[in-house]
């Protein structure tokens, strides 16, 4: 009971710390939402048009735990052959797993145990005498555990509390000039992606790599980087599409060119350079580079065998690139409008009015 209480208090402290960090970052750095709002409103003012409503961003959720959790075969080794198990290093590991605390492990510790067990079994099979009665038992356990290992991995990734939070899209975009947790999260996902690659290839994961899971679990608590990245791309896509529609709807009212008053076009150009080039474009470039940097590791995670069927739509949208393609298309369409307008009005790129 005391252990559970301590665990709850520790988790509460981490949660409150993460909330405080998010609040502090939103106060200390400009909001990307306000930049998009200001940009669109200024354009509407110059175009003498009503300000469009802020877009509503709807994105697919992560499926419920009940749809993602996979059942594994509960195969446990006894300690009858204690001497031989001690000789090859498995005794202590199995004893800890069979203890009271070992039976209530969280998803990360469950995967760690399975990885350490398989590593230990491989060592035992290589060192035990060929006539050892443990050989057959170890081979049977190894076969079952190896088959279930991808399920333990998915259960950690999608139903473990700390990891599940990463894959759930938030409804808070990044600040304009900061992406909290970017470097830390990239490092962590790189580490678990390497474990995923080894699991997919049927390779033994080293004990050091298995132990690293506990460090990753502790460090990932503080941020919601991945879910925030997904939402930030979707939110930017929707704002860009809203602004581009505004510009296209009023384009015929923009009078410019030879022997015409260029004042409105010049005002539009100034808004473009001040808000889009000065604030929004660098933000979009950072979102794009962040996604491209983490994408190979996400692909490695999601090609692990035994992926839950309920994850198909989520994977297609976030991992396989549908959202990123929409984000890029919205960016290109927006830039294309300005290129077309500047060409029609005889404005050279980089020339401000």
């Amino acid at each position: 009971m005391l252990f559970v209480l301590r665990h709850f208090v520790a988790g509460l402290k981490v949660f409150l710390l993460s909330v405080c960090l998010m609040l502090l970052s939103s106060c200390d750095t400009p909001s990307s939402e306000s930049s998009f709002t200001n940009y669109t409103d200024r354009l509407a003012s110059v175009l003498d048009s009503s300000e469009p409503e802020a877009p509503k961003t709807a994105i697919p959720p992560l499926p419920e735990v009940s749809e993602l959790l996979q059942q594994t075969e509960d195969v446990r080794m006894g300690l009858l052959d204690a001497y031989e198990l001690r000789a090859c290093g498995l005794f202590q590991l199995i004893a800890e797993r069979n203890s009271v605390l070992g039976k209530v492990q969280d998803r990360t510790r469950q995967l760690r145990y399975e990885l350490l067990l398989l590593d230990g079994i491989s060592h035992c099979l290589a060192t035990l005498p060929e006539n050892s009665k443990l050989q057959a038992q170890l081979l049977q356990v190894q076969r079952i555990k190896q088959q279930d290992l991808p399920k333990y991995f998915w259960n950690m990734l999608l139903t473990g509390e700390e990891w599940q939070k990463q894959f759930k899209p938030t409804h808070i975009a990044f600040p304009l000039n900061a992406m909290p947790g970017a470097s830390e999260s990239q490092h962590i996902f790189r580490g678990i992606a390497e474990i995923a690659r080894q699991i997919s290839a049927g390779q033994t994961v080293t004990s050091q790599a298995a132990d690293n899971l506990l460090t990753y679990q502790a460090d990932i608590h503080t941020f919601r980087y991945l879910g925030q990245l997904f939402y930030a791309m979707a939110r930017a896509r929707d704002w860009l599409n809203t602004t581009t529609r505004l510009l296209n709807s009023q384009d015929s009212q923009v009078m410019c060119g030879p022997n015409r008053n260029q004042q409105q076009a010049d005002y539009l150009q100034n808004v473009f350079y001040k808000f889009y080039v000065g604030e929004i474009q660098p933000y979009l470039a950072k979102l794009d580079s962040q996604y491209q940097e983490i994408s190979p590791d996400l692909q490695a995670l999601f090609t692990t065998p035994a992926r839950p069927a309920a994850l198909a739509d989520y994977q297609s949208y976030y991992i396989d690139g549908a959202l990123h393609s929409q984000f890029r298309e919205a960016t290109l369409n927006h830039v294309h409008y300005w290129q077309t307008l500047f060409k029609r009005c005889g404005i050279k790129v980089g020339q401000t009015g």
Side-chain angles (χ1 to χ4, degrees):
M1 183 66 181
L2 182 60
F3 169 79
V4 174
L5 181 59
R6 286 175 177 170
H7 183 74
F8 170 77
V9 172
L12 182 61
K13 287 180 178 178
V14 172
F15 170 75
L16 292 175
L17 175 61
S18 64
V19 170
C20 290
L21 287 172
M22 290 180 71
L23 290 174
L24 286 172
S25 65
S26 64
C27 293
D28 294 342
T29 56
S31 162
S32 54
E33 186 76 8
S34 64
S35 287
F36 279 114
T37 302
N38 290 338
Y39 176 50
T40 305
D41 289 352
R42 292 294 182 89
L43 289 174
S45 177
V46 173
L47 293 167
D48 197 23
S49 172
S50 58
E51 299 169 355
E53 291 185 5
K56 292 179 172 60
T57 297
I59 49 179
L62 182 70
E64 296 296 326
V65 170
S66 59
E67 300 178 82
L68 299 173
L69 184 63
Q70 301 189 64
Q71 298 301 313
T72 54
E73 192 167 346
D74 189 14
V75 178
R76 299 193 185 188
M77 295 186 62
L79 301 177
L80 298 178
D81 300 287
Y83 177 78
E84 288 189 283
L85 288 172
R86 277 195 179 95
C88 64
L90 270 182
F91 179 84
Q92 186 62 33
L93 179 66
I94 295 172
E96 289 175 2
R97 179 67 175 90
N98 290 339
S99 69
V100 175
L101 291 180
K103 294 176 181 178
V104 291
Q105 290 178 328
D106 61 26
R107 303 294 182 200
T108 303
R109 283 170 171 77
Q110 285 177 6
L111 176 61
R112 173 182 172 270
Y113 170 77
E114 298 299 321
L115 294 173
L116 292 175
L117 180 63
L118 282 168
D119 183 45
I121 289 175
S122 296
H123 176 66
C124 283
L125 290 172
T127 57
L128 285 173
E130 290 185 6
N131 60 353
S132 169
K133 59 183 179 181
L134 272 179
Q135 284 275 354
Q137 183 185 2
L138 287 174
L139 285 169
Q140 181 184 15
V141 173
Q142 183 187 50
R143 178 182 58 79
I144 295 171
K145 292 293 186 181
Q146 197 71 52
Q147 288 176 347
D148 273 354
L149 190 58
K151 295 180 181 179
Y152 282 103
F153 181 81
W154 281 114
N155 284 347
M156 181 199 79
L157 205 63
L158 301 176
T159 70
E161 180 184 358
E162 302 83 3
W163 301 101
Q164 186 193 47
K165 286 180 180 178
Q166 303 309 309
F167 290 96
K168 281 185 174 181
T170 69
H171 289 279
I172 302 173
F174 287 122
L176 192 66
N177 299 322
M179 294 186 177
S183 60
E184 297 91 341
S185 299
Q186 296 272 3
H187 170 73
I188 290 168
F189 278 106
R190 197 172 301 121
I192 62 170
E194 183 55 33
I195 292 175
R197 292 184 183 97
Q198 291 175 307
I199 291 175
S200 297
Q203 299 171 352
T204 299
V205 177
T206 66
S207 59
Q208 179 61 56
D211 285 336
N212 285 342
L213 285 172
L214 301 183
T215 303
Y216 298 151
Q217 179 190 32
D219 292 345
I220 204 73
H221 247 303
T222 311
F223 305 106
R224 297 287 300 275
Y225 165 77
L226 189 61
Q228 208 168 359
L229 176 62
F230 291 157
Y231 180 76
M233 287 197 298
R235 191 64 180 157
R237 171 204 64 194
D238 292 346
W239 265 117
L240 287 170
N241 287 338
T242 296
T243 308
T244 305
R245 282 194 297 270
L246 168 68
L247 291 166
N248 280 320
S249 68
Q250 301 299 315
D251 184 68
S252 61
Q253 307 303 315
V254 180
M255 301 301 172
C256 62
N259 302 318
R260 289 196 172 189
N261 188 335
Q262 290 274 109
Q263 186 178 54
Q264 188 181 39
D266 289 340
Y267 285 163
L268 287 173
Q269 182 189 15
N270 289 338
V271 173
F272 170 75
Y273 278 103
K274 179 178 180 180
F275 290 98
Y276 186 79
V277 176
E279 297 179 5
I280 294 173
Q281 189 177 52
Y283 175 72
L284 299 177
K286 283 186 284 187
L287 291 179
D288 187 66
S289 65
Q290 287 291 316
Y291 180 81
Q292 292 201 71
E293 185 174 347
I294 202 170
S295 180
D297 293 327
L298 295 179
Q299 289 288 342
L301 296 179
F302 278 72
T303 52
T304 305
R307 187 204 70 192
L311 206 60
D313 290 342
Y314 179 96
Q315 177 172 344
S316 175
Y317 189 77
Y318 295 109
I319 310 302
D320 292 344
L323 171 60
H324 184 239
S325 295
Q326 294 169 10
F327 165 78
R328 280 197 156 186
E329 183 180 12
T331 304
L332 291 173
N333 287 342
H334 191 73
V335 171
H336 178 71
Y337 172 83
W338 286 110
Q339 290 173 335
T340 303
L341 178 69
F342 290 165
K343 182 177 181 181
R344 176 164 72 86
C345 295
I347 298 173
K348 295 180 180 179
V349 176
Q351 169 191 331
T352 55

